[in-house]
């Protein structure tokens, strides 16, 4: 079987698909990966052929855009990314499908894959990284960082917000998509982010049901498999100076607080200034993770260090807490490490993820407008609550004895063969007590 994987976005969007690609290759399938050229070095290290979707320069332009992390204007940046990628993804799928026996595994923003499924009949599995991209009136995703939990809202209010969000998404995402569809002789797509971007054959939520339960108004073809947790650990080592820093913290009984505002966040100067200030106030060690050191304070307090990148699975279990932006991949790694979390959500899936972490009792939220050293220090002190620490440890046990990537591969193989999905979601597997 040939598999074409198409992922659009940052490392948080691409990493899970890389983990799944490697597992499919282990099963003997031929795998090709359509994504931006920025990820070429990672794919080369794994020997995964790259089908280029956009240039590295386009990726850097998008991540540097001042509106990217804006609550509303960020969707305009996202729409531009999709506009540039849809035609390229479609062309790659069309070319691969012409050779037969191909299944496509697509990120929901890989619109070209969804169009190719509709026009060419190519088998397609849509993989959702976070529950916020599976819209539901029953369990409405949190649409804004200013709103907080929506669980107690009356259903008419939830229905109204979902309807308004549906219209807003169509205004941002549908025009370029429908121009391309018109070129292919297809009618306009509507309800793009509410209905259209889901594969009619197979929809996979890459999260467990204890994080977000399956809803009755999700697509009928939806299965939940769990967090894939790929983080380059197989090809990226922990730097020696970081290892020494962590070892020194362990010997002193002072695990550092890790700070990570997102792999593509180039506008985190205030985040890091507040992080350094909070560590100084608390007298705690700090680990600042970013590939963009120009946004760091010119001088860091004693015990606070910067590193460009390290696999979370190797580092987080040796930390005392994690402060981050609320990206689903980062949140999942902290859950797997049993780590209390403090989230500064900005936009996209982040507010919804932050609220779900609060519901689990393992996290706290601090809005960007409130993100200052003094407030951050106080909120970090609250994470030391024994109940928060206990709950985080209990959540870590739920990762034992499950293999979300294997289950995801089973569903992809079933999609390729046209067979019904294998019985039993990850959601039905009892978690360890």
């Amino acid at each position: 079987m040939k598999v074409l994987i198409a992922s659009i976005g940052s490392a948080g969007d691409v990493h899970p698909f890389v983990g799944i690609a490697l597992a499919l290759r282990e099963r003997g399938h031929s795998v090709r990966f359509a994504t931006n050229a920025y990820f070429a070095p990672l794919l080369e290290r794994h020997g995964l052929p790259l089908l280029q979707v956009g240039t590295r320069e386009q990726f850097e332009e998008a991540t540097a855009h001042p509106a990217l992390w804006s609550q509303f204007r960020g969707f305009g940046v996202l729409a531009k990314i999709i506009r540039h990628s849809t035609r390229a993804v479609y062309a790659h799928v069309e070319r691969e499908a012409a050779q037969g026996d191909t299944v496509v595994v697509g990120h929901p923003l890989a619109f070209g894959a969804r169009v190719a499924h509709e026009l060419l009949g190519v088998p397609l599995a849509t993989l959702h990284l976070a529950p916020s991209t599976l819209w539901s009136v029953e369990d409405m995703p949190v649409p804004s960082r200013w709103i907080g939990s929506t669980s107690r809202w009356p259903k008419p209010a939830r229905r109204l917000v979902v309807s308004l969000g549906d219209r807003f998404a169509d205004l941002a995402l549908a025009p370029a998509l429908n121009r391309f569809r018109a070129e292919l002789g297809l009618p306009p797509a509507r309800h793009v982010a509410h209905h259209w971007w889901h594969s009619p054959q197979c929809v996979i939520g890459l999260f467990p049901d204890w994080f977000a339960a399956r809803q009755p108004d999700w697509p009928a073809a939806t299965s939940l498999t769990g967090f894939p947790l790929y983080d380059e650990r197989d090809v990226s080592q922990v730097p020696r100076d970081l290892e020494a820093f962590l070892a020194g913290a362990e010997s002193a009984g002072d695990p550092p607080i890790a700070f990570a505002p997102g792999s593509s966040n180039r506008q985190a100067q205030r985040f890091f200034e507040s992080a350094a200030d909070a560590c100084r106030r608390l007298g705690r060690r700090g680990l600042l993770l970013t590939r963009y050191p120009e946004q760091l304070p010119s001088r860091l307090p004693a015990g606070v260090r910067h590193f460009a990148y390290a696999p979370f699975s190797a580092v987080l279990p040796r930390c005392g807490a994690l402060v981050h932006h609320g990206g689903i991949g980062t949140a999942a790694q902290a859950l797997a490490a049993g780590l209390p979390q403090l989230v500064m959500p900005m936009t996209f899936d982040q507010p919804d993820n932050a609220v779900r972490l609060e519901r689990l009792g393992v996290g706290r939220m601090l809005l960007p407008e409130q993100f200052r050293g003094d407030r951050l220090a106080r909120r970090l002190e609250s994470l030391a609550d024994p109940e928060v620490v206990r709950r985080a440890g209990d959540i870590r046990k739920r990762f034992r004895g499950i293999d979300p990537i294997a289950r995801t591969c089973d569903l992809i193989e079933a999609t390729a063969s046209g067979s019904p999905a294998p019985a039993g979601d990850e959601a039905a597997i009892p978690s360890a007590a």
Side-chain angles (χ1 to χ4, degrees), residues 348-387:
F348 304 128
D349 65 322
Q350 299 161 19
D352 187 66
N353 296 334
V355 168
R356 293 181 188 277
L357 292 171
E358 287 190 326
R359 287 180 195 167
L360 290 171
V362 302
R364 301 279 192 269
M365 193 187 325
L366 193 62
L367 299 181
E369 298 80 15
Q370 304 167 328
F371 205 85
R372 301 193 310 266
D374 54 345
R375 288 195 175 192
L376 177 56
R378 289 196 297 271
R379 200 59 60 90
L380 283 169
E381 287 180 316
S382 74
L383 287 183
D385 183 328
E387 181 63 14

Side-chain angles (χ1 to χ4, degrees), residues 61-298:
E61 178 186 354
T63 58
H65 198 293
L68 178 60
W69 301 109
S70 167
Q71 179 70 56
F72 298 107
R73 292 184 296 141
F75 283 92
V77 182
L78 190 64
K80 184 176 181 181
I81 293 171
I82 295 170
R83 185 166 65 249
H84 288 161
S85 65
T86 297
R87 197 178 298 270
V89 170
Y90 179 86
H92 289 312
V93 175
E94 183 180 39
R95 192 176 305 112
E96 294 294 311
Q99 302 174 38
D101 190 28
T102 298
V103 61
V104 179
V105 179
H107 188 287
L109 296 181
F111 285 3
R114 179 68 178 83
V115 173
H117 168 78
E118 185 175 347
L119 188 62
L120 307 175
V122 185
L124 172 67
T126 302
L127 274 56
H128 290 271
L129 304 179
S132 63
T133 55
L134 286 157
W135 293 19
S136 170
V137 172
E138 301 300 323
D139 182 20
M140 190 184 84
V142 176
S144 166
R145 64 178 186 251
W146 298 300
I147 289 178
S149 178
T150 59
S151 60
R152 296 184 181 274
W153 286 23
K155 183 173 285 189
R158 298 197 302 268
R159 188 176 290 114
L160 174 62
V161 172
V162 168
S163 176
L164 291 174
D166 185 25
R167 294 180 186 180
F168 176 77
D170 274 3
L171 287 173
L173 304 178
L177 167 65
N178 285 331
R179 284 194 293 272
F180 180 59
R181 290 173 62 85
E183 292 177 21
L184 299 174
L186 293 172
R190 297 190 303 133
H191 311 297
V192 172
H194 195 179
H195 296 295
W196 178 83
W197 66 7
H198 306 301
S199 166
Q201 287 182 288
C202 178
V203 177
I204 302 174
L206 295 177
F207 48 86
D209 75 327
W210 51 260
F211 187 76
R214 193 184 189 284
Q215 297 302 310
D217 53 349
W218 284 358
T222 302
S223 299
L224 305 183
T225 58
F227 298 123
L229 297 179
Y230 175 84
D231 66 352
E232 299 189 27
R233 188 170 183 176
D234 50 348
V235 292
S236 297
Q237 302 299 315
V238 176
R240 289 184 181 180
D241 48 352
L242 174 53
E243 177 61 43
F245 174 73
L246 293 171
E250 288 169 339
S251 64
D254 180 25
I257 301 168
F259 297 86
S263 62
S264 298
N265 191 345
R266 302 174 68 171
Q267 300 160 42
Q269 181 175 351
R270 180 176 176 182
F271 177 92
F272 285 118
E273 288 174 349
S274 300
D277 186 27
C279 288
R280 180 186 58 79
R281 291 171 181 270
L282 295 171
R284 292 289 302 272
R285 297 174 191 251
L287 172 59
L288 312 183
L289 294 170
T290 178
R291 288 189 169 98
Y292 306 105
E294 63 274 7
Q295 57 193 339
L296 296 170
S298 57

Side-chain angles (χ1 to χ4, degrees), residues 14-15 18 38-48 230 232 234-236:
V14 172
H15 275 168
V18 172
Y38 177 88
F39 298 99
L42 172 62
L43 298 178
E44 288 171 4
R45 290 199 295 272
H46 282 299
L48 290 170
Y230 175 84
E232 299 189 27
D234 50 348
V235 292
S236 297

